[in-house]
Amino acid sequence: MTMVIGVLTAELQIDGAESLKDKRQVLKSILAHLRNDFNVSASEVADHDIWRRATIGIALVTTDSRFANEVLDKVIDHLERDPRAELGHYEMEML
């Protein structure tokens, strides 16, 4: 049996944040939606102290790389449509 780990790293611009508290409220909601809607692990992984920018990591474990790619593509689409943050650079890889 083969184990595939799909990993997505994405930079988000949160223009409406006027404080770290604002940023964390938006980010907490976005991460919760990703976890619930796509059954992935998601967390802030960089830019912790920058008000209007966040780097998040999303991962899932499966036996099918095509499935992992499809799920992460849907996550990207979701992030692109979310009005609370603008998706910047992102990188996807399969391990």
Side-chain angles (χ1 to χ4, degrees), residues 14-80:
I14 306 169
D15 291 329
E18 296 297 328
S19 67
L20 285 176
K21 183 178 179 182
D22 291 344
K23 171 191 170 177
R24 290 190 178 120
Q25 283 179 325
V26 170
L27 203 52
K28 183 178 179 180
S29 176
I30 289 172
L31 294 173
H33 282 285
L34 294 177
R35 290 181 193 120
N36 292 334
D37 294 349
F38 301 102
N39 196 26
V40 295
S41 295
S43 182
E44 183 178 14
V45 296
D47 301 324
H48 298 281
D49 294 328
I50 301 173
W51 292 4
R52 294 188 173 132
R53 186 172 64 216
T55 302
I56 60 173
I58 298 106
L60 75 146
V61 178
T62 182
T63 58
D64 184 356
S65 61
R66 189 174 68 189
F67 175 74
N69 195 36
E70 288 173 5
V71 170
L72 294 178
D73 281 341
K74 288 178 184 177
V75 168
I76 291 168
D77 290 342
H78 178 82
L79 290 172
E80 288 177 332

Side-chain angles (χ1 to χ4, degrees), residues 79-90:
L79 290 172
E80 288 177 332
R81 289 189 317 270
D82 195 317
R84 298 169 293 179
E86 181 180 332
L87 178 63
H89 176 77
Y90 61 87

